[in-house]
Amino acid sequence: MELNNIYNTALMEHNAHPDYKYEMDDPTLQHEGVNPSCGDDIVLSLKLDGDVIEEAAFTGHGCAVSQASADIMADLITDETAERARHLCDLFLKMIRGEVTDDAELAELGEAAQLKGISLMPARVKCAELGWRTAMTMLDERLAAEGK
Amino acid sequence: MAEAPKATREAIEAVDLAENPFKKDFPLLANNPHLTFLDSAATAQRPTVVLDAQRDFYERLNSNPLRGLYKLSVEATEAIDKVRRKVADFIGAPLSQGIVFTRNATESLNLLALSMGRLVLGPGDEVCITIMEHHSNILPWQQVCRETGAKLVYMRPNEDCKLTAEEIETKITRRTKIVSVTQVSNVLGVENPIKDIAKRAHAVGALCFVDGAQSVPHMGVNVQELGCDALAFSAHKMFGPMGIGVLWAKKELLEKMPPFLTGGEMIDWVTEDDFGCAPVPQKFEAGTQDAAGIVGLGAAVDYMRAVKRENLEARERALVADLARKLGELPFIRLIGPANPNDHVAVVSFNVCGIHPHDVASILDSYDVAIRAGHHCAQPLLAWMGIESCCRASVAVYNDEQDIDNLVEGLQKVWGMFNGAE
């Protein structure tokens, strides 16, 4: 069944036991992302050491898809440079909107590539996007301020 | 005055929900035997007779109503007026001129607010609605209150979702100029005491408008019995086409109200600087109407009458009571709305403990069970109840016991997915 691709073990595990869902002390950057139509919201916090994302964490509430997707995102961008993280977020958003479908191209997303099936569920795209869209906004602002 | 037909307790108890003599009338359901459709409060399915009536209009009568001087156009005009009379009779309205065809209940409510609201409201006046309104009976009033300096006042139900006599008396006062309330809440499923509200409104000199979007499809509604001044509803929730709405209002009110939309077909005369309005109801029907849709609505009314409204109501009441009872027996379900299953009209809202409604609806969908999840265009109500969103199952005459059992089984699977595997 198509749905098993969505509510797979990875998603259910990240939803039930998120590693990155906590309140961060002294974040470098913090931003709230909201899906007004479903009432989902997350606050994403990043701690940067120079260019590198040393720590990523989020708080908030929403459906399993939005929460697990945010947890997977935090895991992926930790220890990456801001520029690389932005690239990964961009790639994920393209995958979820069905703009990039080639699995080889999506390989660098690691576990996040397992959420590809959501691109076939238009009603859930926004849920999956929330964390990544929020990160993208923060990183865009940060990199723009640095002239990148 | 003929009273609206009502289902008796005996009739409700006598309904056999294992039998389903109605499904065959609805091609979408007949063609999808595995589909459990429990979202009729969003839009109902249409029976063959309605689809045929629309096609028949285009094949036999198609021409622009009101404009042409030839036979075909006259016949198209007559077809619309026949439905106007039929709809007036269906809701117990004394004159068919009080029936205005719109796009949907939303447009009917906007028409009332923006035309009547602007006419009668001023600074210090109040518009009284309830916290359980659909956005379409909130936003137009917010808009017109902002424009006129009037204040929007909310009546709030008690813990069992009922509007008490005390609340009605406290909120509807001498300052109130317009009361606009839903007869049945699209989230709580509760029926509001419209007769009492209308009586109170008139006692303080206010008008009483009713949103019948969730009531007209499911129960006998008689505007004279209710004592209201206007009633808005949509065809598509009562087996009719999408894109047709009805506004009934007392003729003398419609005559006083300024036009809402202007242009073709609603005028008497036009000069370079001015225009005169056509008589009611044409005054409020600018532009070419969806005549085939209106004819489809006529067929939907015929269908509901053929089924007999009291039978329809008895079956739907039996269904919703069965639904509320079976959901209430699931330990992981929190029901929203009145405690007594018999107090629900066609709608039961609920949450699954610890599982977001969007996840619930997505997973149910994989078992071909269609329910609604979200804020149901009632964000102020949900915020007031302290919840972000909820699930909603709603029934119509074509549902049966199997549909309800499929939902219950689906919900057990949803619960298992989130709680069993660990």
Side-chain angles (χ1 to χ4, degrees):
Chain A
M1 198 181 307
E2 162 198 319
L3 195 82
N4 290 339
N5 297 330
I6 311 299
Y7 290 90
N8 51 31
T9 321
L11 187 138
M12 296 304 270
E13 182 55 30
H14 279 279
N15 177 55
H17 308 289
D19 291 331
Y20 300 88
K21 191 169 182 174
Y22 60 86
E23 201 99 43
M24 185 192 292
D25 296 327
D26 306 318
T28 320
L29 303 170
Q30 198 170 51
H31 191 78
E32 187 181 9
V34 185
N35 274 342
S37 61
C38 21
D40 291 354
D41 72 291
I42 71 156
V43 174
L44 180 61
S45 302
L46 300 180
K47 195 173 283 173
L48 276 85
D49 179 11
D51 248 6
V52 177
I53 299 169
E54 200 178 36
E55 190 182 350
F58 71 100
T59 57
H61 59 281
C63 64
V65 174
S66 73
Q67 301 302 295
S69 185
D71 200 54
I72 292 169
M73 183 273 303
D75 186 41
L76 185 68
I77 67 170
T78 301
D79 295 333
E80 297 290 352
T81 64
E83 258 179 291
R84 166 102 181 124
R86 181 170 66 173
H87 160 75
L88 292 168
C89 289
D90 184 52
L91 182 60
F92 179 87
L93 291 172
K94 283 182 173 145
M95 173 188 82
I96 222 74
R97 291 166 191 166
E99 293 162 21
V100 175
T101 54
D102 179 27
D103 286 333
E105 210 177 321
L106 297 173
E108 57 181 322
L109 289 176
E111 201 179 23
Q114 290 185 33
L115 301 182
K116 187 182 172 188
I118 295 174
S119 65
L120 301 172
M121 303 176 77
R124 306 311 301 279
V125 165
K126 266 201 218 154
C127 315
E129 276 183 358
L130 183 60
W132 303 79
R133 206 162 29 81
T134 310
M136 190 82 178
T137 308
M138 292 165 78
L139 295 167
D140 269 344
E141 275 176 22
R142 169 79 179 194
L143 291 165
E146 291 173 352
K148 290 181 190 167
Chain B
M1 177 180 80
E3 292 230 329
K6 294 262 186 300
T8 61
R9 178 81 2 235
E10 296 73 38
I12 297 169
E13 276 161 17
V15 175
D16 181 0
L17 293 177
E19 289 292 312
N20 192 342
F22 301 103
K23 212 166 208 167
K24 63 171 178 8
D25 297 342
F26 295 81
L28 186 138
L29 299 173
N31 297 335
N32 293 284
H34 300 298
L35 174 66
T36 299
F37 185 75
L38 291 170
D39 196 21
S40 296
T43 197
Q45 298 301 335
R46 287 114 199 62
T48 307
V49 286
V50 168
L51 304 172
D52 285 351
Q54 284 176 271
R55 187 178 181 90
D56 180 67
F57 175 86
Y58 283 121
E59 286 184 351
R60 262 187 343 105
L61 296 174
N62 184 49
S63 59
N64 204 324
L66 296 174
R67 290 225 182 91
L69 295 173
Y70 47 92
K71 285 197 288 297
L72 207 53
S73 176
V74 171
E75 280 168 14
T77 311
E78 275 172 7
I80 290 181
D81 283 335
K82 197 173 149 197
V83 178
R84 215 185 286 282
R85 290 192 294 275
K86 198 175 279 181
V87 170
D89 190 50
F90 189 65
I91 58 165
L95 293 168
S96 65
Q97 291 101 309
I99 301 287
V100 174
F101 292 119
T102 60
R103 279 189 307 135
N104 40 42
T106 297
E107 186 175 304
S108 300
L109 291 163
N110 271 269
L111 192 164
L112 282 172
L114 300 177
S115 173
M116 198 63 190
R118 281 175 181 154
L119 187 68
V120 302
L121 294 173
D125 291 337
E126 289 180 1
V127 174
C128 185
I129 63 175
T130 77
I131 194 72
M132 64 179 94
E133 299 308 320
H134 187 279
H135 291 165
S136 59
N137 198 28
I138 301 176
L139 274 55
W141 299 112
Q142 287 183 349
Q143 208 182 339
V144 76
C145 282
R146 211 171 291 140
E147 274 177 34
T148 58
K151 190 178 157 201
L152 191 55
V153 173
Y154 288 87
M155 290 188 277
R156 294 166 206 272
N158 64 12
E159 61 287 347
D160 195 34
C161 304
K162 311 280 170 58
L163 290 173
T164 63
E166 194 195 348
E167 179 71 1
I168 293 167
E169 207 155 302
T170 314
K171 298 289 171 69
I172 302 176
T173 70
R174 287 277 157 207
R175 292 184 297 276
T176 312
K177 290 287 173 296
I178 294 173
V179 178
S180 191
V181 289
T182 189
Q183 189 170 10
V184 170
S185 160
N186 72 320
V187 177
L188 305 173
V190 70
E191 181 185 351
N192 287 321
I194 298 295
K195 279 189 215 176
D196 300 341
I197 293 170
K199 205 173 281 173
R200 173 67 184 169
H202 292 154
V204 300
L207 294 163
C208 180
F209 302 155
V210 176
D211 174 1
Q214 299 292 345
S215 59
V216 175
H218 303 292
M219 54 204 276
V221 172
N222 181 307
V223 292
Q224 294 188 76
E225 205 181 309
L226 291 177
C228 59
D229 298 295
L231 174 75
F233 56 100
S234 286
H236 73 100
K237 294 191 201 287
M238 52 181 280
F239 315 124
M242 286 182 177
I244 296 296
V246 175
L247 169 66
W248 167 80
K250 286 181 176 161
K251 200 178 161 224
E252 59 269 28
L253 285 185
L254 290 173
E255 278 166 351
K256 264 192 259 169
M257 285 158 62
F260 171 55
L261 300 172
T262 54
E265 319 219 49
M266 55 72 63
I267 52 99
D268 197 6
W269 51 265
V270 180
T271 65
E272 285 194 23
D273 305 313
D274 204 4
F275 67 92
C277 288
V280 167
Q282 277 76 30
K283 177 167 122 182
F284 293 102
E285 294 181 350
T288 298
Q289 294 286 87
D290 179 354
I294 292 169
V295 169
L297 166 62
V301 169
D302 289 341
Y303 180 80
M304 288 173 82
R305 284 192 157 155
V307 174
K308 288 214 174 69
R309 275 208 289 183
E310 54 270 43
N311 293 346
L312 187 141
E313 189 182 338
R315 184 174 176 88
E316 291 180 344
R317 288 214 175 246
L319 278 163
V320 81
D322 191 52
L323 174 63
R325 192 177 51 74
K326 283 179 177 159
L327 291 183
E329 283 167 6
L330 297 174
F332 50 84
I333 294 287
R334 197 177 73 80
L335 285 180
I336 293 164
N340 186 343
N342 298 319
D343 286 348
H344 286 253
V345 180
V347 164
V348 180
S349 293
F350 59 94
N351 267 320
V352 183
C353 295
I355 308 178
H356 194 282
H358 286 176
D359 294 319
V360 176
S362 273
I363 297 167
L364 286 175
D365 179 50
S366 71
Y367 298 107
D368 283 330
V369 176
I371 64 153
R372 184 75 177 264
H375 52 61
H376 314 290
C377 298
Q379 285 186 10
L381 173 66
L382 268 62
W384 181 67
M385 292 194 298
I387 55 175
E388 292 287 344
S389 56
C390 62
C391 303
R392 180 185 74 187
S394 51
V395 299
V397 72
Y398 41 64
N399 288 118
D400 52 35
E401 198 169 34
Q402 189 61 53
D403 291 328
I404 291 164
D405 293 344
N406 290 348
L407 172 65
V408 168
E409 204 179 304
L411 286 169
Q412 279 160 337
K413 286 177 182 156
V414 170
W415 178 253
M417 263 179 82
F418 278 79
N419 296 278
E422 288 180 49

